[in-house]
Amino acid sequence: DVKVTQSSRYLVKRTGEKVFLECVQDMDHENMFWYRQDPGLGLRLIYFSYDVKMKEKGDIPEGYSVSREKKERFSLILESASTNQTSMYLCASRPQTGHTEAFFGQGTRLTVV
Amino acid sequence: AQSVTQLDSQVPVFEEAPVELRCNYSSSVSVYLFWYVQYPNQGLQLLLKYLSGSTLVKGINGFEAEFNKSQTSFHLRKPSVHISDTAEYFCAVSPPGYSSASKIIFGSGTRLSIRP
């Protein structure tokens, strides 16, 4: 079974803090993604990575950065958390071929106070 | 670029009734299509996918979807729903083949609520 593991299910952080969300996959997938999920807006892509140290901006990258130093790990960084970044964050991985679906972690619900 | 429109944000149905969740997509090239389900406080799980071939695709939990190229639609159906089908459902599209940008684009979701 493919496993995508996000380090936290729930996080509460203060405004201005630097926040790290970690994601690890065990299937040697080339592609990894960070999505943000808000009611009525579906999943919006923040960043994705198609190889180690490679990244591309998604639709809503502002206020976020990412790091991929190893193939299995993809980190999302909130440089200075703000209340409008309170949301559900979902990590996913997918093999390069594009013939299969993406596999998702269980999500991290982040609250910024 | 691809986009996905889910026409209904909420669909209430009675238990054992049939249901259809609508999805339309926009793309200038052929695409792969997916339906995912999200149960409360969980990540997304694949229900079914269309890559090529038969336009009627069967998935898990008794769901099926039909790809209609002329209407650019990929509607999800189940002939008889159960309380346990209460969840949010997402339609998604992806370009085929090798690509450094093999990202999946999601619709805004449809919340299915089942009434006893």
Side-chain angles (χ1 to χ4, degrees), chain A residues 31-32 39 48 84 87 95 108:
Chain A
N31 297 315
M32 295 188 75
F48 67 100
N84 63 14
S87 187
T108 296

Side-chain angles (χ1 to χ4, degrees), chain A residues 4 7 18-19 28 32 38-39 83 103:
Chain A
V4 179
S7 53
K18 190 169 186 176
V19 181
D28 203 37
M32 295 188 75
D38 299 288
T83 54
F103 297 86

Side-chain angles (χ1 to χ4, degrees), chain A residues 23-90:
Chain A
C23 176
V24 177
Q25 50 99 359
D26 65 358
M27 284 303 293
D28 203 37
H29 288 169
E30 293 83 359
N31 297 315
M32 295 188 75
F33 308 87
W34 276 106
Y35 289 91
R36 172 177 170 159
Q37 182 183 10
D38 299 288
L41 297 178
L43 276 71
R44 292 180 292 167
L45 184 64
I46 304 171
Y47 267 98
F48 67 100
S49 169
Y50 51 90
D51 203 348
V52 175
K53 297 190 186 294
M54 307 304 290
K55 61 186 178 185
E56 286 195 22
K57 292 179 180 179
D59 300 316
I60 52 164
E62 296 77 20
Y64 303 94
S65 62
V66 290
S67 171
R68 194 164 180 203
E69 296 297 318
K70 293 184 177 181
K71 192 174 186 180
E72 67 270 19
R73 186 180 297 270
F74 192 36
S75 302
L76 178 70
I77 304 155
L78 285 66
E79 298 290 344
S80 176
S82 64
T83 54
N84 63 14
Q85 293 177 309
T86 292
S87 187
M88 170 73 93
Y89 290 87
L90 292 164

Side-chain angles (χ1 to χ4, degrees), chain B residues 13-77:
Chain B
V13 295
F14 287 104
E15 196 172 15
E16 298 183 7
V19 70
E20 178 180 82
L21 306 185
R22 297 180 293 168
C23 172
N24 286 90
Y25 69 94
S26 172
S27 177
S28 57
V29 299
S30 60
V31 293
Y32 296 150
L33 294 157
F34 307 88
W35 274 100
Y36 284 83
V37 60
Q38 185 182 36
Y39 298 106
N41 298 315
Q42 293 189 27
L44 273 68
Q45 175 184 350
L46 183 74
L47 267 181
L48 49 80
K49 59 186 176 184
Y50 172 79
L51 304 181
S52 64
S54 172
T55 57
L56 184 63
V57 180
K58 293 193 183 297
I60 62 171
N61 301 340
F63 283 93
E64 62 182 32
E66 185 154 21
F67 170 60
N68 187 320
K69 188 174 181 179
S70 62
Q71 309 245 350
T72 60
S73 68
F74 190 55
H75 300 334
L76 181 71
R77 301 185 183 102

Side-chain angles (χ1 to χ4, degrees), chain B residues 5 22 32 42 61 78 81 85 90-91 103:
Chain B
T5 302
R22 297 180 293 168
Y32 296 150
Q42 293 189 27
N61 301 340
K78 186 169 182 178
V81 296
D85 293 322
F90 292 93
C91 183
K103 55 188 176 181

